[in-house]
Amino acid sequence: MLKLYAMFLTLIFLVELVAAIVGFVFRHEIKNSFKNNYEKALKQYNATGDYRSDAVDKIQNTLHCCGVTNFRDWEDTSYYSEKGFPKSCCKLEDCSPQRDADKVNNEGCFIKVMTIIESEMGVVAGISFGVACFQLIGIFLAYCLSRAITNNQYEIV
């Protein structure tokens, strides 16, 4: 049973290692995918409570940004032609910017999101390294205990 436990722990460790390597190798594709999906969410934006629209509003409210690269990205959307900028683009709490560019945040959200992700990568890497160390220790101890049991160093009850 201990050997089976150690094998499963090794398998989980290898899956985590492969996922980390794939994430590192394809990080640029992940950025491009995020940017494309964010642009798509902007183009399909509506204020009716769609999950994509809610995500766009949440990002823009939290990070105080507007659009993908800047606030002008909204000018290409159907929502802007009907109602103007969404309220989540406002610099102040209660404003209705409509088409007034002075009342909205100028910075785009893509750069802000990528900056936050890159700044937190050290923490994620450190936690992942710590978990991996504990897994390796668990694998080593399971094999040692299994070997000790098979060598009859412990009395079988």
Side-chain angles (χ1 to χ4, degrees), residues 7 10 14 21 25 39 47 51 55 79-80 104 108 131 147-148 153:
M7 285 191 317
T10 304
L14 291 175
I21 291 170
V25 169
E39 288 171 348
Y51 72 96
Y79 183 86
Y80 180 82
V104 297
V131 168
R147 189 169 171 176
Q153 290 180 357

Side-chain angles (χ1 to χ4, degrees), residues 130-150:
V131 168
C133 286
F134 279 113
Q135 284 178 321
L136 290 174
I137 291 169
I139 292 167
F140 175 73
L141 291 177
Y143 275 122
C144 287
L145 184 59
S146 172
R147 189 169 171 176
I149 289 171
T150 56

Side-chain angles (χ1 to χ4, degrees), residues 17 38 54 67 105 134:
L17 185 65
Y38 197 72
D54 289 342
N105 295 304
F134 279 113

Side-chain angles (χ1 to χ4, degrees), residues 40-59:
K40 189 185 212 182
L42 229 62
K43 294 204 184 311
Q44 297 174 354
Y45 181 86
N46 59 26
T48 60
D50 177 25
Y51 72 96
R52 286 184 178 174
S53 302
D54 289 342
V56 168
D57 285 338
K58 184 77 171 168
I59 290 171

